[in-house]
Amino acid sequence: MSRTFIMIKPDAVRNRHAGEIIARIEKEGFKILGMKYVKLAENDAKEFYKVHAARPFYGELCRDMSAGPIVVAALERENAVLHWREVIGATDPKEAAPGTIRAMYAESKGANSVHGSDSDENANSEITFFFKGFELV
Ligand code: IDP
Ligand code: MG
């Protein structure tokens, strides 16, 4: 078993897709270790995405990610990181495979509905960013 960290981004919450995305999490066999509904300040988003600080879309990304409420969750499953990346699809919804969450719900490459960790190491640090030990059941 391994863990991943996911976010339902402001565009998906605003467009009322959070329920369907949580249903998909269950359908894909993930155990929900922790889940909460929060709104980031722009500085929180800057801290979370600091690995992207040099990229041209960093400012827009941090503004978008703090523009409205999000759902954050720590999930467990066999091969959790890779499996969730398959479920969400490519970063750009135009390149995302049919049936993936981004193909179904994303508005654009920036407002792409969901986040998923890209490695076990980053999953653990992203989970730690949002959850205290006692918030993981
Ligand atoms: P990922 O979310 O598929 O792992 P990353 O390359 O890690 O993609 O980028 C993080 C987030 O930054 C993306 O999910 C998306 O919201 C945003 N982003 C990435 N590339 C672009 C871009 O070219 N234009 C606008 N936003 C982008
Ligand atoms: Mg990424």
Side-chain angles (χ1 to χ4, degrees):
M1 287 295 178
S2 63
R3 293 177 173 194
T4 192
F5 172 76
I6 75 102
M7 298 191 280
I8 304 174
K9 295 185 177 185
D11 64 285
V13 171
R14 189 179 61 244
N15 292 326
R16 298 179 174 268
H17 296 309
E20 291 155 286
I21 293 169
I22 293 167
R24 182 71 178 267
I25 287 169
E26 294 186 318
K27 190 165 153 280
E28 295 291 340
F30 287 99
K31 179 183 174 193
I32 299 169
L33 301 176
M35 179 175 279
K36 47 191 179 182
Y37 185 67
V38 299
K39 185 171 180 295
L40 297 177
E42 195 169 334
N43 278 338
D44 301 322
K46 282 182 176 163
E47 176 65 21
F48 182 82
Y49 279 114
K50 66 184 176 201
V51 294
H52 295 311
R55 297 173 75 175
F57 56 82
Y58 179 65
E60 182 193 345
L61 173 64
C62 297
R63 274 194 303 281
D64 286 355
M65 285 303 297
S66 55
I70 61 175
V71 176
V72 297
L75 306 181
E76 186 178 73
R77 190 191 183 281
E78 215 170 274
N79 224 350
V81 164
L82 260 178
H83 189 78
W84 182 251
R85 298 288 309 194
E86 280 172 21
V87 169
I88 68 178
T91 308
D92 186 341
K94 291 200 287 283
E95 290 162 18
T100 60
I101 291 174
R102 284 167 168 168
M104 290 194 289
Y105 305 128
E107 293 179 344
S108 64
K109 193 172 183 182
N112 61 359
S113 299
V114 277
H115 168 80
S117 307
D118 60 8
S119 67
D120 288 356
E121 189 190 350
N122 286 338
N124 285 323
S125 62
E126 291 173 0
I127 289 169
T128 303
F129 185 92
F130 280 98
F131 294 95
K132 295 191 174 181
F134 67 79
E135 294 179 292
L136 300 168
V137 301

